[in-house]
Each structure stands twice: as C-alpha cells, then as structure tokens.
Amino acid sequence: MEILKEGKIYEVLLTTRSNITPVGINRKGNRLNFRLFEGKSANDIKEHPYGVLHITWDVELLVKAALNLPVEVEFENAKSIPIKKIKGLPSIEGRIEFVERKIEDELGRARVLECSLVPTYEDIHPLSFPPISRADFYLLEMAIHLTRLYVATRALNVKEAQKLYSKIWEGYRLYKKLGGESELAEKIMGFATAALRWNP
C-alpha cells in the first residue's frame, strides 16, 4: 500500500459481491477508508463484508461504473476473500468493517456506511497506462456532480439542483475546450438536462 499516501483521497473502483462502483478512499495506517451511500454496494457489504479496491487510470471506466452503464471488464476469483475481482488491474483485497450513520447536508438526509477495508492481499504490480489528461478530470467531475444532481432532484431541492446543473455545464464546456472527445460527456449533459426537466 506504499503507493497510497496518507492524507490524500484517491478515486478507485470497489467490487463487492454483486456490484462495481467508484469510491474515494483515504489511507490511515493499514486501513483504507471510504463512504458509501444507500445502494447495491452498501447492501452487499452489510450482508457480505468483503471488497476489492482496484486502481485504474481509465476515467471512462470510473464514469461508466458511477452511472451504472455497461462496463467491459473481465472478472476472476479474488485470492483471499470469497468474491470476484477485476482481472488485470492492481488491487487490494480485504475484509470491510463498517458503521451505519444518518447524515444531513445541503442535499438532504441520507443513510451512509462509513467503511474501513483491512487488507488481506495486495496485487499491486506495475502496469502501463496513459496519464489522465486535464480534460479527463472535468469528465470525472461532471459524473460526480450528476450523481449529486440525482439526489438533489429526488429531494426536490431546486436551488441545489440548479447549482449542480450549472457546474455540469461549466465542466462540459471546459472538457470540450481542452480537447475532450468522449461521447460520455454528451450523455452526461443529456442525463443532467433530463433530470432537471423532470424535476424542475
């Protein structure tokens, strides 16, 4: 885990018994901490507390997983825990300890799992990936704002929804300006417009 420095937040892919989703992790000692909102991954962990964290530089893969779009990955059995992992990606397997909490912020009230992965096996091997471009960072931010937009519209929080939509639009503008070419950018703008239209 030496490549993960304490005090920094890294975006990685989490696989649980039946789901794959991006999470922001931070290392504290020999533990990797992250938060999950209600959903498939959180339910998996409550029933089967194991997970694999995968390191990837593929922003499109992170975005597709965040939006529950189909992803083209191959799975194989994890080495130390009874679930699958993504084949070919550096990974950290482990047992997950968690505490369920209720939180309230600008998006409204929600239930979250505060999770801590205790590593049981590491497969951190050198892989050659292209670096993430500045445009890619905007694509990732657009996806994060979109997931928050969905929460705001469900909570009928009009002011926050409009603010998040503006952030997505600004991210899209900068993504195109910096040479971004992924069709996911157009899809995200379409999803955001539809969310705002149906929940004005």
Side-chain angles (χ1 to χ4, degrees):
M1 285 203 310
E2 290 75 17
I3 63 168
L4 302 174
K5 306 300 181 188
E6 292 199 35
K8 290 190 174 182
I9 296 177
Y10 299 91
E11 195 73 19
V12 298
L13 281 173
L14 167 71
T15 55
T16 53
R17 181 169 56 180
S18 68
N19 200 39
I20 172 173
T21 190
V23 292
I25 62 165
N26 66 80
R27 177 185 172 189
K28 191 166 184 182
N30 69 334
R31 292 171 176 261
L32 298 169
N33 303 310
F34 58 94
R35 173 183 283 183
L36 286 173
F37 286 88
E38 292 176 282
K40 204 168 185 181
S41 294
N43 290 337
D44 276 353
I45 287 172
K46 285 192 280 188
E47 296 172 5
H48 196 69
Y50 299 97
V52 183
L53 299 171
H54 303 82
I55 299 168
T56 179
W57 290 264
D58 185 340
V59 173
E60 286 204 17
L61 178 57
L62 290 165
V63 169
K64 286 179 179 178
L67 302 179
N68 294 314
L69 296 172
V71 295
E72 295 177 9
V73 295
E74 219 179 310
F75 291 95
E76 62 183 357
N77 289 329
K79 302 288 187 187
S80 64
I81 55 176
I83 64 171
K84 302 272 187 187
K85 68 176 185 175
I86 300 172
K87 189 174 181 178
L89 290 182
S91 60
I92 301 171
E93 304 173 9
R95 176 174 47 84
I96 297 175
E97 298 174 359
F98 64 89
V99 175
E100 193 167 8
R101 300 187 190 281
K102 291 180 182 178
I103 64 165
E104 186 169 358
D105 60 17
E106 68 273 10
L107 297 178
R109 296 178 182 173
R111 298 179 73 86
V112 299
L113 287 191
E114 301 283 356
C115 300
S116 183
L117 183 136
V118 181
T120 54
Y121 182 82
E122 294 181 32
D123 183 15
I124 306 293
H125 53 277
L127 289 178
S128 178
F129 288 101
I132 296 176
S133 72
R134 287 189 67 192
D136 287 333
F137 283 111
Y138 284 106
L139 184 65
L140 183 58
E141 283 297 308
M142 287 169 65
I144 291 168
H145 290 318
L146 178 63
T147 61
R148 293 174 64 79
L149 174 62
Y150 287 149
V151 175
T153 55
R154 281 198 298 269
L156 301 179
N157 188 333
V158 176
K159 185 177 179 181
E160 188 65 22
Q162 290 173 340
K163 186 165 74 174
L164 287 164
Y165 181 86
S166 296
K167 288 181 179 179
I168 294 167
W169 167 249
E170 180 64 11
Y172 174 78
R173 188 185 68 78
L174 291 167
Y175 178 76
K176 300 302 281 188
K177 181 180 178 181
L178 291 167
E181 298 177 343
S182 172
E183 65 180 23
L184 280 172
E186 272 70 34
K187 284 189 177 181
I188 290 170
M189 278 308 309
F191 291 154
T193 302
L196 210 61
R197 183 182 300 130
W198 290 108
N199 297 275

PDB file of all heavy atoms in Angstrom, residues 1 16 46 52 65 69 96-97 105 125 151 155 165 167:
ATOM      1  N   MET A   1       0.828  -1.212   0.000  1.00  0.00           N
ATOM      2  CA  MET A   1       0.000   0.000   0.000  1.00  0.00           C
ATOM      3  C   MET A   1       0.860   1.259   0.000  1.00  0.00           C
ATOM      4  O   MET A   1       0.332   2.344   0.149  1.00  0.00           O
ATOM      5  CB  MET A   1      -0.915   0.019   1.209  1.00  0.00           C
ATOM      6  CG  MET A   1      -2.091  -0.913   1.131  1.00  0.00           C
ATOM      7  SD  MET A   1      -3.444  -0.405   2.214  1.00  0.00           S
ATOM      8  CE  MET A   1      -2.612  -0.154   3.778  1.00  0.00           C
ATOM      9  N   THR A  16     -17.871  -5.454  -4.917  1.00  0.00           N
ATOM     10  CA  THR A  16     -18.459  -6.182  -3.806  1.00  0.00           C
ATOM     11  C   THR A  16     -19.042  -7.468  -4.387  1.00  0.00           C
ATOM     12  O   THR A  16     -18.760  -7.825  -5.528  1.00  0.00           O
ATOM     13  CB  THR A  16     -19.529  -5.332  -3.108  1.00  0.00           C
ATOM     14  OG1 THR A  16     -20.475  -4.870  -4.098  1.00  0.00           O
ATOM     15  CG2 THR A  16     -18.907  -4.124  -2.416  1.00  0.00           C
ATOM     16  N   LYS A  46     -23.165  -4.908   3.884  1.00  0.00           N
ATOM     17  CA  LYS A  46     -23.877  -5.235   5.120  1.00  0.00           C
ATOM     18  C   LYS A  46     -24.127  -6.743   5.232  1.00  0.00           C
ATOM     19  O   LYS A  46     -24.097  -7.311   6.317  1.00  0.00           O
ATOM     20  CB  LYS A  46     -25.197  -4.457   5.188  1.00  0.00           C
ATOM     21  CG  LYS A  46     -25.002  -2.995   5.529  1.00  0.00           C
ATOM     22  CD  LYS A  46     -26.302  -2.300   5.879  1.00  0.00           C
ATOM     23  CE  LYS A  46     -27.084  -1.927   4.642  1.00  0.00           C
ATOM     24  NZ  LYS A  46     -28.256  -1.091   4.963  1.00  0.00           N
ATOM     25  N   VAL A  52     -12.947  -5.540  -2.926  1.00  0.00           N
ATOM     26  CA  VAL A  52     -11.657  -5.374  -3.589  1.00  0.00           C
ATOM     27  C   VAL A  52     -11.603  -3.963  -4.153  1.00  0.00           C
ATOM     28  O   VAL A  52     -12.533  -3.524  -4.840  1.00  0.00           O
ATOM     29  CB  VAL A  52     -11.455  -6.394  -4.738  1.00  0.00           C
ATOM     30  CG1 VAL A  52     -10.060  -6.236  -5.343  1.00  0.00           C
ATOM     31  CG2 VAL A  52     -11.672  -7.828  -4.256  1.00  0.00           C
ATOM     32  N   ALA A  65     -18.977   3.164 -14.395  1.00  0.00           N
ATOM     33  CA  ALA A  65     -19.352   2.477 -13.152  1.00  0.00           C
ATOM     34  C   ALA A  65     -20.191   3.390 -12.268  1.00  0.00           C
ATOM     35  O   ALA A  65     -21.161   2.956 -11.647  1.00  0.00           O
ATOM     36  CB  ALA A  65     -18.098   2.007 -12.413  1.00  0.00           C
ATOM     37  N   LEU A  69     -23.583   2.317 -16.161  1.00  0.00           N
ATOM     38  CA  LEU A  69     -23.576   1.973 -17.581  1.00  0.00           C
ATOM     39  C   LEU A  69     -22.755   0.696 -17.752  1.00  0.00           C
ATOM     40  O   LEU A  69     -21.909   0.377 -16.919  1.00  0.00           O
ATOM     41  CB  LEU A  69     -22.966   3.110 -18.406  1.00  0.00           C
ATOM     42  CG  LEU A  69     -23.751   4.430 -18.386  1.00  0.00           C
ATOM     43  CD1 LEU A  69     -22.951   5.532 -19.075  1.00  0.00           C
ATOM     44  CD2 LEU A  69     -25.101   4.264 -19.063  1.00  0.00           C
ATOM     45  N   ILE A  96     -14.163  -5.805   5.241  1.00  0.00           N
ATOM     46  CA  ILE A  96     -14.652  -4.441   5.434  1.00  0.00           C
ATOM     47  C   ILE A  96     -15.416  -4.330   6.752  1.00  0.00           C
ATOM     48  O   ILE A  96     -16.382  -5.053   6.985  1.00  0.00           O
ATOM     49  CB  ILE A  96     -15.559  -3.998   4.264  1.00  0.00           C
ATOM     50  CG1 ILE A  96     -14.743  -3.982   2.958  1.00  0.00           C
ATOM     51  CG2 ILE A  96     -16.163  -2.628   4.532  1.00  0.00           C
ATOM     52  CD1 ILE A  96     -15.556  -3.678   1.723  1.00  0.00           C
ATOM     53  N   GLU A  97     -14.943  -3.418   7.592  1.00  0.00           N
ATOM     54  CA  GLU A  97     -15.667  -3.078   8.813  1.00  0.00           C
ATOM     55  C   GLU A  97     -16.454  -1.809   8.525  1.00  0.00           C
ATOM     56  O   GLU A  97     -15.999  -0.947   7.760  1.00  0.00           O
ATOM     57  CB  GLU A  97     -14.675  -2.865   9.959  1.00  0.00           C
ATOM     58  CG  GLU A  97     -13.872  -4.112  10.286  1.00  0.00           C
ATOM     59  CD  GLU A  97     -12.786  -3.872  11.322  1.00  0.00           C
ATOM     60  OE1 GLU A  97     -12.648  -2.708  11.768  1.00  0.00           O
ATOM     61  OE2 GLU A  97     -12.083  -4.836  11.673  1.00  0.00           O
ATOM     62  N   ASP A 105     -26.861  17.033   4.873  1.00  0.00           N
ATOM     63  CA  ASP A 105     -26.051  18.099   4.292  1.00  0.00           C
ATOM     64  C   ASP A 105     -26.922  18.909   3.347  1.00  0.00           C
ATOM     65  O   ASP A 105     -28.156  18.841   3.419  1.00  0.00           O
ATOM     66  CB  ASP A 105     -24.799  17.531   3.595  1.00  0.00           C
ATOM     67  CG  ASP A 105     -25.138  16.560   2.469  1.00  0.00           C
ATOM     68  OD1 ASP A 105     -26.307  16.550   1.997  1.00  0.00           O
ATOM     69  OD2 ASP A 105     -24.239  15.816   2.046  1.00  0.00           O
ATOM     70  N   HIS A 125       0.941  -4.451  -9.014  1.00  0.00           N
ATOM     71  CA  HIS A 125       2.027  -4.719  -9.956  1.00  0.00           C
ATOM     72  C   HIS A 125       2.089  -3.589 -10.972  1.00  0.00           C
ATOM     73  O   HIS A 125       1.085  -2.924 -11.236  1.00  0.00           O
ATOM     74  CB  HIS A 125       1.805  -6.047 -10.673  1.00  0.00           C
ATOM     75  CG  HIS A 125       0.458  -6.149 -11.329  1.00  0.00           C
ATOM     76  ND1 HIS A 125      -0.681  -6.518 -10.631  1.00  0.00           N
ATOM     77  CD2 HIS A 125       0.058  -5.906 -12.589  1.00  0.00           C
ATOM     78  CE1 HIS A 125      -1.719  -6.513 -11.461  1.00  0.00           C
ATOM     79  NE2 HIS A 125      -1.303  -6.139 -12.648  1.00  0.00           N
ATOM     80  N   VAL A 151     -29.588  13.117  -6.504  1.00  0.00           N
ATOM     81  CA  VAL A 151     -30.008  13.179  -5.096  1.00  0.00           C
ATOM     82  C   VAL A 151     -30.803  14.457  -4.834  1.00  0.00           C
ATOM     83  O   VAL A 151     -31.857  14.441  -4.202  1.00  0.00           O
ATOM     84  CB  VAL A 151     -28.782  13.109  -4.154  1.00  0.00           C
ATOM     85  CG1 VAL A 151     -29.210  13.296  -2.699  1.00  0.00           C
ATOM     86  CG2 VAL A 151     -28.048  11.785  -4.324  1.00  0.00           C
ATOM     87  N   ALA A 155     -34.822  14.927  -3.791  1.00  0.00           N
ATOM     88  CA  ALA A 155     -35.184  15.640  -2.560  1.00  0.00           C
ATOM     89  C   ALA A 155     -35.941  16.936  -2.849  1.00  0.00           C
ATOM     90  O   ALA A 155     -36.262  17.679  -1.930  1.00  0.00           O
ATOM     91  CB  ALA A 155     -33.914  15.951  -1.761  1.00  0.00           C
ATOM     92  N   TYR A 165     -26.421  21.604 -11.823  1.00  0.00           N
ATOM     93  CA  TYR A 165     -26.543  21.597 -13.281  1.00  0.00           C
ATOM     94  C   TYR A 165     -25.574  22.611 -13.892  1.00  0.00           C
ATOM     95  O   TYR A 165     -24.914  22.327 -14.905  1.00  0.00           O
ATOM     96  CB  TYR A 165     -27.978  21.909 -13.712  1.00  0.00           C
ATOM     97  CG  TYR A 165     -28.150  21.897 -15.216  1.00  0.00           C
ATOM     98  CD1 TYR A 165     -28.408  20.700 -15.884  1.00  0.00           C
ATOM     99  CD2 TYR A 165     -28.029  23.062 -15.955  1.00  0.00           C
ATOM    100  CE1 TYR A 165     -28.541  20.678 -17.258  1.00  0.00           C
ATOM    101  CE2 TYR A 165     -28.162  23.046 -17.341  1.00  0.00           C
ATOM    102  CZ  TYR A 165     -28.424  21.848 -17.987  1.00  0.00           C
ATOM    103  OH  TYR A 165     -28.544  21.826 -19.361  1.00  0.00           O
ATOM    104  N   LYS A 167     -22.744  23.572 -12.684  1.00  0.00           N
ATOM    105  CA  LYS A 167     -21.396  23.023 -12.577  1.00  0.00           C
ATOM    106  C   LYS A 167     -21.139  21.982 -13.667  1.00  0.00           C
ATOM    107  O   LYS A 167     -20.038  21.913 -14.227  1.00  0.00           O
ATOM    108  CB  LYS A 167     -21.191  22.392 -11.189  1.00  0.00           C
ATOM    109  CG  LYS A 167     -21.084  23.406 -10.067  1.00  0.00           C
ATOM    110  CD  LYS A 167     -20.856  22.705  -8.735  1.00  0.00           C
ATOM    111  CE  LYS A 167     -20.710  23.715  -7.605  1.00  0.00           C
ATOM    112  NZ  LYS A 167     -20.508  23.050  -6.298  1.00  0.00           N
TER     113      LYS A 167
END
